[in-house]
Amino acid sequence: MFDAHTAGVYVIAVTPFTDTGAIDSYSVDSMVDFYAGCGATGLTLLGMMGEAPKLTHDESIAVVRQVAKRTKLPVVVGVSAPGFAPMAALSRASMDAGAAGVMIAPVPTLKTDDQIVTYYRSVVEAIGPDIPFAIQDYPLSTGVLFTPGVIKRIIEENPSCIMLKHEDWPGLEKITAIRRMISNGGLRQISILCGNGGLFLPEEIGRGGDGAMTGYAFPEMLVSVTELIQQGKRKEAHDLFDAHLPYLRYEQQAGIGLAVRKYVLKKRGAIASDTQRKPMAKLSPEAIVEIEWLLGRMVERTGLKL
Amino acid sequence: MFDAHTAGVYVIAVTPFTDTGAIDSYSVDSMVDFYAGCGATGLTLLGMMGEAPKLTHDESIAVVRQVAKRTKLPVVVGVSAPGFAPMAALSRASMDAGAAGVMIAPVPTLKTDDQIVTYYRSVVEAIGPDIPFAIQDYPLSTGVLFTPGVIKRIIEENPSCIMLKHEDWPGLEKITAIRRMISNGGLRQISILCGNGGLFLPEEIGRGGDGAMTGYAFPEMLVSVTELIQQGKRKEAHDLFDAHLPYLRYEQQAGIGLAVRKYVLKKRGAIASDTQRKPMAKLSPEAIVEIEWLLGRMVERTGLKL
Amino acid sequence: MFDAHTAGVYVIAVTPFTDTGAIDSYSVDSMVDFYAGCGATGLTLLGMMGEAPKLTHDESIAVVRQVAKRTKLPVVVGVSAPGFAPMAALSRASMDAGAAGVMIAPVPTLKTDDQIVTYYRSVVEAIGPDIPFAIQDYPLSTGVLFTPGVIKRIIEENPSCIMLKHEDWPGLEKITAIRRMISNGGLRQISILCGNGGLFLPEEIGRGGDGAMTGYAFPEMLVSVTELIQQGKRKEAHDLFDAHLPYLRYEQQAGIGLAVRKYVLKKRGAIASDTQRKPMAKLSPEAIVEIEWLLGRMVERTGLKL
Amino acid sequence: MFDAHTAGVYVIAVTPFTDTGAIDSYSVDSMVDFYAGCGATGLTLLGMMGEAPKLTHDESIAVVRQVAKRTKLPVVVGVSAPGFAPMAALSRASMDAGAAGVMIAPVPTLKTDDQIVTYYRSVVEAIGPDIPFAIQDYPLSTGVLFTPGVIKRIIEENPSCIMLKHEDWPGLEKITAIRRMISNGGLRQISILCGNGGLFLPEEIGRGGDGAMTGYAFPEMLVSVTELIQQGKRKEAHDLFDAHLPYLRYEQQAGIGLAVRKYVLKKRGAIASDTQRKPMAKLSPEAIVEIEWLLGRMVERTGLKL
């Protein structure tokens, strides 16, 4: 279920392409199986790291349909768009194709508190009140800053808003502020899933995050760290997290991060090719040496199988 | 013809909606007839002022098809997109629907000279070498700045680049620089059509612009000023331009400019409703009083019929 | 007096340099006399169009001192700064040098409503509660957007806030909103002076602006238009405004506008040299021809002496 | 010496304040001693993380003078400014106060390659050809992107340019490209010191960086990792780096990073108070618990004394 009680790890899926740049349907299935095998509780498609803007409308829907057919996990679709008509069209087509809900980032032109609140009101008018949606709070990319007060207003106005995809940076205090509102009865329950490539996952869960919604080539770590922190096993959580961190940091780089991730997902057998569509950053021979070194150390520390 | 010798006025068309926000097919036809009657030599669809991002893919193509069917004027389609696959899909569908060419702005993330040149190389790979295209040079909106040298590199690399849609501000020196390159034999011929709502039209044509590509509720003025300047009738050109300028300035405002333009186009009978899709700015009663005042003065000075 | 009842025209002064780029003290005096002779009710120094960031701290204070000594008109000083300590130092030094108050724009990093309100609270802590100040609301330059509600909060919290320097674009509705708050008793009186190079002056005064605070090489027009509109002589106001508009539009261009303004101020005898400090845009021969043409037509229509 | 062969670690110093926000001269000395004791080969003052914009001009110079007097290490001063006159004034005053050179970031308005090259030409005209300077390449903060080709042009035109402060992200390929130019004889020798809080230090040194110029509360790690990589002791370097990384990541957060750093520097006895001037982010009780936890684990792994 994708609702206000959602917890665990929603993996932001890559979009697999063949060497010639077509969508690789075979790898779509293998990737879904891989993520499910890592313990994901849901999948998020057409996120920024899913190369969503590089797909045509028809390709986007085809991917959603195939993924939703392959897995019983809830599938959330990024439907952010500069206009409401294409957003509504993509939302409806996604739900028809089997999605459980959608995720929506604000357009970059929004500035004032009222503009942001009005925007989400229009979103719900456009997509209808029945599609559960997550707010994508990602200032580094959108330039739009949500205060806890603005998030509260959006949640109160729109019953179909059931999640905060948290990706402010640094955003730990925001998680604390919202969790406090909820526990004080000042705000109804919503789910908070955290992004940022997992770079602050132990702290985010410690502050009250319900899990992660992010891409990372080793989702099983996100799953385990979330569980360990929630079970109070703080030391074990950090031990595991720290073993991943040197590589995770490398994958989390702006620009070439997706190239790194696809390289490792291919190495792990999740996808057949690490091709990206243009524009893209390519890995240099030096970068590949660095990645292999970091992976080697990680395997040694964790015993993880690639 | 939409080619390197194109001159005159390409009107950037609005998209007419009914009061309930559907595309108003009846007004699409009347608007095309209106623009043609004003002396336009071409039409540009799906520009930023055409509310392009607010249309679904299917609506976009339907509008292109209807317009191309209604008129013999060349139709250019704005196909700028964050990814190449949707850009290519929209370009091909537009050409199939009867368009004469496309216009492409850079994505806002481009910064260095090389990035811009590489981008247009990838554009042509994506849409193919056979679709004539205009570079849309609009830094105020995209944040991307083209030097004359970068424009030259793009033109030389890509034979299908046949026009500069010039909308830098202030950009008069850029027109001069490019015209000088062409007359010196340092660059092949391309067409330069100018934007900015016509706010600098007499100077732009004087510097060597071949005409205008912009929206304005009185395209006949753009047509006449272009012709008068090209005929050396500078005084007559400025007399006419100056009579429009107080209102033109008002229509050229960021934010509410499109509301003003649609209000006047409705008043002139070009479209049946001035409805915009959200997000939009509405005219206040005070704004309408101001517009009517400015129009009244303009009619008095020009004898123009609304 | 520079207070909540200030009206008329505060000219944003240029900074005169000699041909070698030193501050031209002789021209500082002649410029002040020129502005006063045009009917200015005050002067604003160290605005963005005064090349403020190109002056050293000592030069800035010397200019303020000289101007304040030369004229009995109130002098307002732009003291915007990335940090509060330099802002406070410049404010105190300016007041000591004879200024009547200061003007402060927000730092570009501010986004949310609360951040903006908090910023001005800190401003007043830094400069002290006794220095009257104007909010500089100039989103095109700062990227910071003030809603009427935010402006109200700042005014209510800070008794020393006595003016809104209005330069939003399009901002006519904001003037109306704030004037309405004041006339409804929902907000205490403040002065509203308008910027944007005067491009919307008749409408701004019609909406309730108290005058202009902007640069323009013919301040006497700003003075007359403001008075005519306030006297209900709307037609006369627009007739005068319209005669200036073709040239005003040219001076108001981003980038080279200041070069145009200094060229004309030199021509009018207000300053001895039109030198700017780097970085700057220079007038090409083509630009000078265009300016002379526009001035010639303006002189013909208005009978104005250059 | 601060020249084209500079290597090692230049610590970007904080500016110590007393609890009431005055500059804490006592702590300036203790901080300098602390950094020198950590093995720094130089100090960088008035960087962005040194709260430079929050100091008055006089305070800035006083800090430079005191630091230069206290230590024999070369002192580099950040003199970036929106105008050349204040930049020149600060540069000369800094050199007079004992600085070894300056560091200069581009103004955020620069876009094209030529604009960036022209800017540094004007910089050298302004500060004179005798002051050695570092280019500060920090796109995340300035929005200005330097290609290797642009860096080459700046270095070739300006003999006093002796260092690239590298802080692009991801910038590893840029280090490789520039090192390759130098080893190919295509570019004269310059020093490359790397920033980003040390987050990619092992890779940066591996790619050819000569050291680090960054802030971090444990500069001795930066020193050791640089040396170990340069000695080919890659495993030892990464072992040490990895032990710091969980905490380093936390200190490297945008916004509250400086609060974290000052908290730890105070704890280590380097400064007496962790006060920042406004605007600033404060540490919550939750954040302090997180920091202490991370420090505890780091001490355990490294045996480091706080």
PDB file of all heavy atoms in Angstrom, chain B residues 170 173 180 199 203 207 239 249 254 284 286 290 297, chain C residues 170 173 180 199 203 207 239 242 249 254 284 286 290 297:
ATOM      1  N   PRO B 170      20.008  43.342 -23.812  1.00  0.00           N
ATOM      2  CA  PRO B 170      19.936  44.044 -25.093  1.00  0.00           C
ATOM      3  C   PRO B 170      20.735  43.267 -26.112  1.00  0.00           C
ATOM      4  O   PRO B 170      21.843  42.811 -25.813  1.00  0.00           O
ATOM      5  CB  PRO B 170      20.627  45.357 -24.791  1.00  0.00           C
ATOM      6  CG  PRO B 170      21.608  45.003 -23.725  1.00  0.00           C
ATOM      7  CD  PRO B 170      21.065  43.851 -22.960  1.00  0.00           C
ATOM      8  N   GLU B 173      23.683  44.688 -30.514  1.00  0.00           N
ATOM      9  CA  GLU B 173      25.062  44.487 -30.971  1.00  0.00           C
ATOM     10  C   GLU B 173      25.258  43.076 -31.525  1.00  0.00           C
ATOM     11  O   GLU B 173      26.091  42.848 -32.399  1.00  0.00           O
ATOM     12  CB  GLU B 173      26.050  44.756 -29.832  1.00  0.00           C
ATOM     13  CG  GLU B 173      25.965  46.139 -29.210  1.00  0.00           C
ATOM     14  CD  GLU B 173      26.026  47.294 -30.212  1.00  0.00           C
ATOM     15  OE1 GLU B 173      26.636  47.146 -31.274  1.00  0.00           O
ATOM     16  OE2 GLU B 173      25.423  48.349 -29.927  1.00  0.00           O
ATOM     17  N   ARG B 180      27.422  41.301 -39.808  1.00  0.00           N
ATOM     18  CA  ARG B 180      28.750  41.650 -40.306  1.00  0.00           C
ATOM     19  C   ARG B 180      29.519  40.395 -40.724  1.00  0.00           C
ATOM     20  O   ARG B 180      30.169  40.385 -41.761  1.00  0.00           O
ATOM     21  CB  ARG B 180      29.506  42.410 -39.205  1.00  0.00           C
ATOM     22  CG  ARG B 180      30.698  43.188 -39.693  1.00  0.00           C
ATOM     23  CD  ARG B 180      31.163  44.183 -38.633  1.00  0.00           C
ATOM     24  NE  ARG B 180      30.288  45.348 -38.531  1.00  0.00           N
ATOM     25  CZ  ARG B 180      30.220  46.163 -37.464  1.00  0.00           C
ATOM     26  NH1 ARG B 180      30.955  45.908 -36.384  1.00  0.00           N
ATOM     27  NH2 ARG B 180      29.419  47.209 -37.469  1.00  0.00           N
ATOM     28  N   LEU B 199       9.502  45.216 -28.785  1.00  0.00           N
ATOM     29  CA  LEU B 199       9.853  46.432 -28.036  1.00  0.00           C
ATOM     30  C   LEU B 199      11.035  47.192 -28.640  1.00  0.00           C
ATOM     31  O   LEU B 199      11.191  48.390 -28.411  1.00  0.00           O
ATOM     32  CB  LEU B 199      10.161  46.050 -26.583  1.00  0.00           C
ATOM     33  CG  LEU B 199      10.266  47.176 -25.560  1.00  0.00           C
ATOM     34  CD1 LEU B 199       8.933  47.900 -25.395  1.00  0.00           C
ATOM     35  CD2 LEU B 199      10.707  46.639 -24.192  1.00  0.00           C
ATOM     36  N   GLU B 203      14.879  49.354 -34.201  1.00  0.00           N
ATOM     37  CA  GLU B 203      16.320  49.243 -34.095  1.00  0.00           C
ATOM     38  C   GLU B 203      16.789  47.873 -34.592  1.00  0.00           C
ATOM     39  O   GLU B 203      17.844  47.764 -35.242  1.00  0.00           O
ATOM     40  CB  GLU B 203      16.777  49.461 -32.648  1.00  0.00           C
ATOM     41  CG  GLU B 203      16.654  50.911 -32.162  1.00  0.00           C
ATOM     42  CD  GLU B 203      15.251  51.285 -31.672  1.00  0.00           C
ATOM     43  OE1 GLU B 203      14.368  50.392 -31.600  1.00  0.00           O
ATOM     44  OE2 GLU B 203      15.032  52.473 -31.347  1.00  0.00           O
ATOM     45  N   ARG B 207      19.392  47.221 -37.595  1.00  0.00           N
ATOM     46  CA  ARG B 207      20.679  46.540 -37.419  1.00  0.00           C
ATOM     47  C   ARG B 207      20.862  45.350 -38.367  1.00  0.00           C
ATOM     48  O   ARG B 207      21.926  44.743 -38.396  1.00  0.00           O
ATOM     49  CB  ARG B 207      20.796  46.026 -35.982  1.00  0.00           C
ATOM     50  CG  ARG B 207      20.856  47.100 -34.900  1.00  0.00           C
ATOM     51  CD  ARG B 207      22.141  47.932 -34.991  1.00  0.00           C
ATOM     52  NE  ARG B 207      22.235  48.852 -33.861  1.00  0.00           N
ATOM     53  CZ  ARG B 207      23.092  48.679 -32.829  1.00  0.00           C
ATOM     54  NH1 ARG B 207      23.919  47.657 -32.814  1.00  0.00           N
ATOM     55  NH2 ARG B 207      23.115  49.569 -31.843  1.00  0.00           N
ATOM     56  N   ASP B 239       7.134  56.757 -36.365  1.00  0.00           N
ATOM     57  CA  ASP B 239       5.845  57.372 -36.048  1.00  0.00           C
ATOM     58  C   ASP B 239       4.807  56.293 -35.717  1.00  0.00           C
ATOM     59  O   ASP B 239       4.070  56.388 -34.733  1.00  0.00           O
ATOM     60  CB  ASP B 239       5.357  58.224 -37.228  1.00  0.00           C
ATOM     61  CG  ASP B 239       6.115  59.551 -37.334  1.00  0.00           C
ATOM     62  OD1 ASP B 239       6.848  59.919 -36.381  1.00  0.00           O
ATOM     63  OD2 ASP B 239       5.997  60.218 -38.378  1.00  0.00           O
ATOM     64  N   ARG B 249       4.201  48.312 -24.615  1.00  0.00           N
ATOM     65  CA  ARG B 249       4.918  48.196 -23.344  1.00  0.00           C
ATOM     66  C   ARG B 249       4.084  47.483 -22.299  1.00  0.00           C
ATOM     67  O   ARG B 249       4.572  46.660 -21.516  1.00  0.00           O
ATOM     68  CB  ARG B 249       5.249  49.633 -22.888  1.00  0.00           C
ATOM     69  CG  ARG B 249       5.581  49.861 -21.435  1.00  0.00           C
ATOM     70  CD  ARG B 249       5.317  51.338 -21.080  1.00  0.00           C
ATOM     71  NE  ARG B 249       3.898  51.614 -21.183  1.00  0.00           N
ATOM     72  CZ  ARG B 249       3.134  52.157 -20.209  1.00  0.00           C
ATOM     73  NH1 ARG B 249       3.674  52.537 -19.084  1.00  0.00           N
ATOM     74  NH2 ARG B 249       1.855  52.342 -20.380  1.00  0.00           N
ATOM     75  N   ALA B 254       6.105  41.052 -18.138  1.00  0.00           N
ATOM     76  CA  ALA B 254       6.226  39.664 -17.702  1.00  0.00           C
ATOM     77  C   ALA B 254       5.009  39.314 -16.838  1.00  0.00           C
ATOM     78  O   ALA B 254       4.447  40.177 -16.168  1.00  0.00           O
ATOM     79  CB  ALA B 254       7.507  39.483 -16.886  1.00  0.00           C
ATOM     80  N   SER B 284      -6.976  42.482 -13.344  1.00  0.00           N
ATOM     81  CA  SER B 284      -7.834  43.126 -12.352  1.00  0.00           C
ATOM     82  C   SER B 284      -8.681  44.179 -13.053  1.00  0.00           C
ATOM     83  O   SER B 284      -8.371  44.597 -14.175  1.00  0.00           O
ATOM     84  CB  SER B 284      -6.970  43.793 -11.286  1.00  0.00           C
ATOM     85  OG  SER B 284      -6.272  44.877 -11.867  1.00  0.00           O
ATOM     86  N   GLU B 286      -8.685  47.240 -12.386  1.00  0.00           N
ATOM     87  CA  GLU B 286      -7.795  48.380 -12.611  1.00  0.00           C
ATOM     88  C   GLU B 286      -6.967  48.172 -13.883  1.00  0.00           C
ATOM     89  O   GLU B 286      -6.746  49.116 -14.650  1.00  0.00           O
ATOM     90  CB  GLU B 286      -6.833  48.553 -11.418  1.00  0.00           C
ATOM     91  CG  GLU B 286      -7.476  49.059 -10.131  1.00  0.00           C
ATOM     92  CD  GLU B 286      -8.092  47.942  -9.298  1.00  0.00           C
ATOM     93  OE1 GLU B 286      -8.100  46.760  -9.743  1.00  0.00           O
ATOM     94  OE2 GLU B 286      -8.565  48.231  -8.176  1.00  0.00           O
ATOM     95  N   GLU B 290      -6.783  50.448 -17.384  1.00  0.00           N
ATOM     96  CA  GLU B 290      -5.519  50.921 -17.970  1.00  0.00           C
ATOM     97  C   GLU B 290      -5.376  50.505 -19.439  1.00  0.00           C
ATOM     98  O   GLU B 290      -4.960  51.289 -20.293  1.00  0.00           O
ATOM     99  CB  GLU B 290      -4.332  50.400 -17.150  1.00  0.00           C
ATOM    100  CG  GLU B 290      -4.221  51.065 -15.778  1.00  0.00           C
ATOM    101  CD  GLU B 290      -3.366  50.294 -14.768  1.00  0.00           C
ATOM    102  OE1 GLU B 290      -3.027  49.124 -15.031  1.00  0.00           O
ATOM    103  OE2 GLU B 290      -3.070  50.856 -13.692  1.00  0.00           O
ATOM    104  N   ARG B 297      -6.148  55.689 -26.690  1.00  0.00           N
ATOM    105  CA  ARG B 297      -5.164  56.651 -27.191  1.00  0.00           C
ATOM    106  C   ARG B 297      -4.505  56.144 -28.478  1.00  0.00           C
ATOM    107  O   ARG B 297      -4.238  56.910 -29.400  1.00  0.00           O
ATOM    108  CB  ARG B 297      -4.111  56.919 -26.118  1.00  0.00           C
ATOM    109  CG  ARG B 297      -4.660  57.742 -24.948  1.00  0.00           C
ATOM    110  CD  ARG B 297      -3.651  57.877 -23.812  1.00  0.00           C
ATOM    111  NE  ARG B 297      -2.407  58.515 -24.248  1.00  0.00           N
ATOM    112  CZ  ARG B 297      -2.179  59.824 -24.275  1.00  0.00           C
ATOM    113  NH1 ARG B 297      -3.133  60.669 -23.902  1.00  0.00           N
ATOM    114  NH2 ARG B 297      -1.017  60.295 -24.670  1.00  0.00           N
TER     115      ARG B 297
ATOM    116  N   PRO C 170       5.672  42.462 -13.203  1.00  0.00           N
ATOM    117  CA  PRO C 170       4.775  43.606 -13.134  1.00  0.00           C
ATOM    118  C   PRO C 170       4.303  43.770 -11.703  1.00  0.00           C
ATOM    119  O   PRO C 170       3.973  42.794 -11.047  1.00  0.00           O
ATOM    120  CB  PRO C 170       3.606  43.161 -14.011  1.00  0.00           C
ATOM    121  CG  PRO C 170       3.598  41.665 -13.866  1.00  0.00           C
ATOM    122  CD  PRO C 170       4.994  41.225 -13.575  1.00  0.00           C
ATOM    123  N   GLU C 173      -0.373  45.454  -9.366  1.00  0.00           N
ATOM    124  CA  GLU C 173      -1.351  44.904  -8.413  1.00  0.00           C
ATOM    125  C   GLU C 173      -0.811  44.978  -6.984  1.00  0.00           C
ATOM    126  O   GLU C 173      -1.569  45.084  -6.030  1.00  0.00           O
ATOM    127  CB  GLU C 173      -1.687  43.457  -8.767  1.00  0.00           C
ATOM    128  CG  GLU C 173      -2.243  43.251 -10.175  1.00  0.00           C
ATOM    129  CD  GLU C 173      -3.425  44.154 -10.513  1.00  0.00           C
ATOM    130  OE1 GLU C 173      -4.180  44.546  -9.594  1.00  0.00           O
ATOM    131  OE2 GLU C 173      -3.570  44.510 -11.702  1.00  0.00           O
ATOM    132  N   ARG C 180      -4.517  49.601  -0.571  1.00  0.00           N
ATOM    133  CA  ARG C 180      -5.816  49.192  -0.032  1.00  0.00           C
ATOM    134  C   ARG C 180      -5.681  48.828   1.452  1.00  0.00           C
ATOM    135  O   ARG C 180      -6.532  49.202   2.264  1.00  0.00           O
ATOM    136  CB  ARG C 180      -6.330  48.003  -0.849  1.00  0.00           C
ATOM    137  CG  ARG C 180      -7.800  47.744  -0.688  1.00  0.00           C
ATOM    138  CD  ARG C 180      -8.299  46.817  -1.786  1.00  0.00           C
ATOM    139  NE  ARG C 180      -8.439  47.471  -3.086  1.00  0.00           N
ATOM    140  CZ  ARG C 180      -8.477  46.838  -4.268  1.00  0.00           C
ATOM    141  NH1 ARG C 180      -8.375  45.510  -4.304  1.00  0.00           N
ATOM    142  NH2 ARG C 180      -8.622  47.510  -5.385  1.00  0.00           N
ATOM    143  N   LEU C 199       9.321  53.182 -16.459  1.00  0.00           N
ATOM    144  CA  LEU C 199       8.636  52.585 -17.621  1.00  0.00           C
ATOM    145  C   LEU C 199       7.128  52.426 -17.411  1.00  0.00           C
ATOM    146  O   LEU C 199       6.365  52.342 -18.371  1.00  0.00           O
ATOM    147  CB  LEU C 199       9.274  51.219 -17.935  1.00  0.00           C
ATOM    148  CG  LEU C 199       8.925  50.560 -19.268  1.00  0.00           C
ATOM    149  CD1 LEU C 199       9.413  51.394 -20.447  1.00  0.00           C
ATOM    150  CD2 LEU C 199       9.534  49.161 -19.364  1.00  0.00           C
ATOM    151  N   GLU C 203       0.963  54.570 -14.687  1.00  0.00           N
ATOM    152  CA  GLU C 203       0.115  53.561 -14.052  1.00  0.00           C
ATOM    153  C   GLU C 203       0.476  53.416 -12.570  1.00  0.00           C
ATOM    154  O   GLU C 203      -0.402  53.226 -11.725  1.00  0.00           O
ATOM    155  CB  GLU C 203       0.279  52.210 -14.766  1.00  0.00           C
ATOM    156  CG  GLU C 203      -0.357  52.158 -16.153  1.00  0.00           C
ATOM    157  CD  GLU C 203       0.544  52.708 -17.261  1.00  0.00           C
ATOM    158  OE1 GLU C 203       1.721  53.064 -16.961  1.00  0.00           O
ATOM    159  OE2 GLU C 203       0.087  52.793 -18.421  1.00  0.00           O
ATOM    160  N   ARG C 207      -2.068  53.935  -9.466  1.00  0.00           N
ATOM    161  CA  ARG C 207      -2.415  52.883  -8.509  1.00  0.00           C
ATOM    162  C   ARG C 207      -2.156  53.300  -7.064  1.00  0.00           C
ATOM    163  O   ARG C 207      -2.465  52.533  -6.142  1.00  0.00           O
ATOM    164  CB  ARG C 207      -1.570  51.633  -8.798  1.00  0.00           C
ATOM    165  CG  ARG C 207      -1.845  50.963 -10.144  1.00  0.00           C
ATOM    166  CD  ARG C 207      -3.229  50.336 -10.199  1.00  0.00           C
ATOM    167  NE  ARG C 207      -3.393  49.567 -11.424  1.00  0.00           N
ATOM    168  CZ  ARG C 207      -3.430  48.233 -11.484  1.00  0.00           C
ATOM    169  NH1 ARG C 207      -3.337  47.523 -10.385  1.00  0.00           N
ATOM    170  NH2 ARG C 207      -3.592  47.613 -12.631  1.00  0.00           N
ATOM    171  N   ASP C 239       0.467  62.281 -22.384  1.00  0.00           N
ATOM    172  CA  ASP C 239       1.070  62.950 -23.549  1.00  0.00           C
ATOM    173  C   ASP C 239       2.570  63.180 -23.313  1.00  0.00           C
ATOM    174  O   ASP C 239       3.397  62.911 -24.187  1.00  0.00           O
ATOM    175  CB  ASP C 239       0.374  64.295 -23.809  1.00  0.00           C
ATOM    176  CG  ASP C 239      -0.999  64.128 -24.448  1.00  0.00           C
ATOM    177  OD1 ASP C 239      -1.324  62.998 -24.893  1.00  0.00           O
ATOM    178  OD2 ASP C 239      -1.762  65.116 -24.484  1.00  0.00           O
ATOM    179  N   ASP C 242       4.401  59.740 -23.088  1.00  0.00           N
ATOM    180  CA  ASP C 242       4.526  59.068 -24.390  1.00  0.00           C
ATOM    181  C   ASP C 242       5.634  59.688 -25.250  1.00  0.00           C
ATOM    182  O   ASP C 242       6.269  58.990 -26.043  1.00  0.00           O
ATOM    183  CB  ASP C 242       3.201  59.142 -25.166  1.00  0.00           C
ATOM    184  CG  ASP C 242       2.126  58.265 -24.541  1.00  0.00           C
ATOM    185  OD1 ASP C 242       2.410  57.591 -23.531  1.00  0.00           O
ATOM    186  OD2 ASP C 242       0.992  58.269 -25.043  1.00  0.00           O
ATOM    187  N   ARG C 249      12.596  53.845 -23.102  1.00  0.00           N
ATOM    188  CA  ARG C 249      12.714  52.408 -23.352  1.00  0.00           C
ATOM    189  C   ARG C 249      14.156  52.027 -23.691  1.00  0.00           C
ATOM    190  O   ARG C 249      14.674  51.009 -23.248  1.00  0.00           O
ATOM    191  CB  ARG C 249      11.775  52.090 -24.528  1.00  0.00           C
ATOM    192  CG  ARG C 249      12.000  50.824 -25.294  1.00  0.00           C
ATOM    193  CD  ARG C 249      11.382  50.971 -26.710  1.00  0.00           C
ATOM    194  NE  ARG C 249      12.123  51.981 -27.466  1.00  0.00           N
ATOM    195  CZ  ARG C 249      12.688  51.801 -28.667  1.00  0.00           C
ATOM    196  NH1 ARG C 249      12.546  50.659 -29.290  1.00  0.00           N
ATOM    197  NH2 ARG C 249      13.350  52.772 -29.247  1.00  0.00           N
ATOM    198  N   ALA C 254      18.588  46.549 -20.061  1.00  0.00           N
ATOM    199  CA  ALA C 254      19.573  45.918 -19.172  1.00  0.00           C
ATOM    200  C   ALA C 254      20.941  45.974 -19.840  1.00  0.00           C
ATOM    201  O   ALA C 254      21.045  45.958 -21.047  1.00  0.00           O
ATOM    202  CB  ALA C 254      19.176  44.464 -18.928  1.00  0.00           C
ATOM    203  N   SER C 284      28.276  51.397 -28.965  1.00  0.00           N
ATOM    204  CA  SER C 284      28.847  51.287 -30.306  1.00  0.00           C
ATOM    205  C   SER C 284      28.452  52.530 -31.107  1.00  0.00           C
ATOM    206  O   SER C 284      27.521  53.254 -30.725  1.00  0.00           O
ATOM    207  CB  SER C 284      28.293  50.042 -30.990  1.00  0.00           C
ATOM    208  OG  SER C 284      26.912  50.213 -31.218  1.00  0.00           O
ATOM    209  N   GLU C 286      26.789  52.516 -33.778  1.00  0.00           N
ATOM    210  CA  GLU C 286      25.392  52.300 -34.155  1.00  0.00           C
ATOM    211  C   GLU C 286      24.457  52.719 -33.027  1.00  0.00           C
ATOM    212  O   GLU C 286      23.393  53.308 -33.257  1.00  0.00           O
ATOM    213  CB  GLU C 286      25.140  50.821 -34.483  1.00  0.00           C
ATOM    214  CG  GLU C 286      25.771  50.332 -35.774  1.00  0.00           C
ATOM    215  CD  GLU C 286      27.226  49.904 -35.598  1.00  0.00           C
ATOM    216  OE1 GLU C 286      27.794  50.093 -34.486  1.00  0.00           O
ATOM    217  OE2 GLU C 286      27.810  49.387 -36.570  1.00  0.00           O
ATOM    218  N   GLU C 290      21.441  55.618 -32.872  1.00  0.00           N
ATOM    219  CA  GLU C 290      20.071  55.340 -32.438  1.00  0.00           C
ATOM    220  C   GLU C 290      19.637  56.292 -31.325  1.00  0.00           C
ATOM    221  O   GLU C 290      18.510  56.793 -31.310  1.00  0.00           O
ATOM    222  CB  GLU C 290      19.961  53.879 -31.969  1.00  0.00           C
ATOM    223  CG  GLU C 290      20.040  52.879 -33.121  1.00  0.00           C
ATOM    224  CD  GLU C 290      20.391  51.457 -32.697  1.00  0.00           C
ATOM    225  OE1 GLU C 290      20.804  51.251 -31.533  1.00  0.00           O
ATOM    226  OE2 GLU C 290      20.287  50.547 -33.542  1.00  0.00           O
ATOM    227  N   ARG C 297      13.884  63.157 -31.929  1.00  0.00           N
ATOM    228  CA  ARG C 297      12.426  63.062 -32.008  1.00  0.00           C
ATOM    229  C   ARG C 297      11.777  63.529 -30.705  1.00  0.00           C
ATOM    230  O   ARG C 297      10.737  64.168 -30.706  1.00  0.00           O
ATOM    231  CB  ARG C 297      12.012  61.625 -32.321  1.00  0.00           C
ATOM    232  CG  ARG C 297      12.340  61.218 -33.766  1.00  0.00           C
ATOM    233  CD  ARG C 297      12.042  59.745 -34.017  1.00  0.00           C
ATOM    234  NE  ARG C 297      10.667  59.386 -33.756  1.00  0.00           N
ATOM    235  CZ  ARG C 297       9.674  59.465 -34.650  1.00  0.00           C
ATOM    236  NH1 ARG C 297       9.916  59.892 -35.877  1.00  0.00           N
ATOM    237  NH2 ARG C 297       8.433  59.119 -34.315  1.00  0.00           N
TER     238      ARG C 297
END
